[in-house]
Amino acid sequence: MDTIFTLLMILIMIASVLLVIVVMAQNPKGGGLSSTFGGASSTQFGVQRTNDFMEKSTWTLGAIIIVLILISVVVTGKPKQVAPAIPQAPTKEAPAGKAPASESSAPVSVPANK
């Protein structure tokens, strides 16, 4: 299970790095914080709308990351070994009383107490 968890974590990190690269490569759509502080409009620099490929790849990588995280939780969440039971201290029992005499005629041997 340790190998599967490591493999899933590596895949999640790769998908996260790719997502950061794809998001950084997209052209700004305008608005947001960039227009608040910069004051320049994004229409000065050309394309205002991102590629369909870039948008689809952003959503796909985000979905892949979520699915990989859910798979890692499911795979690593179930323990495969049962925890050993906690040993309990032996309980002290009261000594047994004498049994009532039976009606059989055979002699009964009683072990001597030491």
Side-chain angles (χ1 to χ4, degrees), residues 40-100:
S41 145
S42 63
T43 57
Q44 290 177 328
F45 302 109
V47 178
Q48 187 175 3
R49 190 167 181 272
T50 59
N51 249 351
D52 284 338
F53 171 75
M54 297 294 254
E55 188 173 346
K56 287 180 183 178
S57 62
T58 302
W59 285 104
T60 304
L61 284 170
I64 287 172
I65 291 172
I66 291 172
V67 168
L68 286 174
I69 290 171
L70 291 175
I71 290 173
S72 70
V73 167
V74 169
V75 168
T76 60
K78 295 179 182 177
K80 291 195 176 197
Q81 293 180 348
V82 177
I86 300 172
Q88 296 179 354
T91 58
K92 293 183 179 182
E93 296 179 6
K98 292 185 180 182

